Amino acid sequence: MTISMYAASVPVFERALRNLRHILSKGEAHARERGVDVDGLLGLRIIDDMLPLSRQVQIACDMAKNGAARLAGQQPPAFEDSETTMDELYARIDRTIAFIHTLDAADIDGSEERDILLVMRSGELRFKGQDYLLGFVLPNLHFHCTVAYALLRGQGAPLGKTDYIAGATPV
């Protein structure tokens, strides 16, 4: 039995983003209980030279929307990186999920050998669709979701592995 490119991408992206939203909401609730400025959480970092929580969420969303669009052979929509509140981060996650649901399985299935070119500051990266999904998009999506989890857990938010793996999605 094989798994389709759609099944390996869009549902996985959605689950990760819904769980990220769940993690953010638990972090927000914990901050409110402690009387901490919720929107101040967006600047959390483990160390000075890392990207803040807000950017971790933005990049996780970008991985999902850009990954899905590129696998479908489409130009990814541009989202401005201007979120300064938790509500704006929730809206970005919701907008990302809504976008990936505009793509049908037929748009993505068969993209295993599709040529994908990324132009990065460090140069060009070239992939075939399957390698792009499995070796670039999914690891990056999960990395940034994990960092967001760790930042909020480090602030004492009552988060556990089940929040990351199944927080907003029934198993």
Side-chain angles (χ1 to χ4, degrees):
M1 181 172 161
T2 60
I3 185 169
S4 74
M5 288 291 284
Y6 181 87
S9 60
V10 171
V12 177
F13 299 164
E14 179 180 4
R15 181 181 182 119
L17 292 175
R18 287 194 188 284
N19 290 347
L20 177 59
R21 195 179 203 292
H22 168 78
I23 288 164
L24 291 174
S25 70
K26 282 190 81 170
E28 176 182 8
H30 179 70
R32 288 192 191 285
E33 289 169 9
R34 291 183 13 224
V36 173
D37 173 31
V38 170
D39 294 332
L41 297 175
L42 277 65
L44 288 175
R45 302 168 192 258
I46 294 171
I47 192 164
D48 290 342
D49 67 350
M50 78 177 290
L51 298 172
L53 176 64
S54 59
R55 193 72 185 112
Q56 302 298 330
V57 175
Q58 291 164 347
I59 294 171
C61 289
D62 289 349
M63 284 295 135
K65 75 173 174 63
N66 296 352
R70 289 181 180 122
L71 290 171
Q74 298 181 15
Q75 182 65 32
F79 287 3
E80 202 172 311
D81 296 329
S82 59
E83 292 82 9
T84 59
T85 68
M86 195 66 79
D87 285 340
E88 290 173 349
L89 287 180
Y90 295 141
R92 186 182 183 117
I93 292 169
D94 295 344
R95 195 167 61 246
T96 302
I97 292 170
F99 169 72
I100 65 176
H101 279 288
T102 66
L103 303 170
D104 295 321
D107 297 326
I108 294 174
D109 284 341
S111 64
E112 293 87 347
E113 294 299 317
R114 177 169 283 136
D115 289 320
I116 297 184
L117 170 67
L118 299 181
V119 179
M120 314 283 281
R121 282 179 271 158
S122 59
E124 293 182 351
L125 297 175
R126 296 178 183 276
F127 300 93
K128 293 294 184 183
Q130 183 171 314
D131 294 333
Y132 172 65
L133 173 62
L134 299 178
F136 184 81
V137 177
L138 288 173
N140 271 285
L141 172 65
H142 290 296
F143 172 84
H144 291 285
C145 289
T146 300
V147 170
Y149 168 93
L151 287 167
L152 293 169
R153 183 68 184 104
Q155 294 297 302
L159 295 166
K161 185 166 94 172
T162 56
D163 293 301
Y164 182 87
I165 294 174
T169 310
V171 177

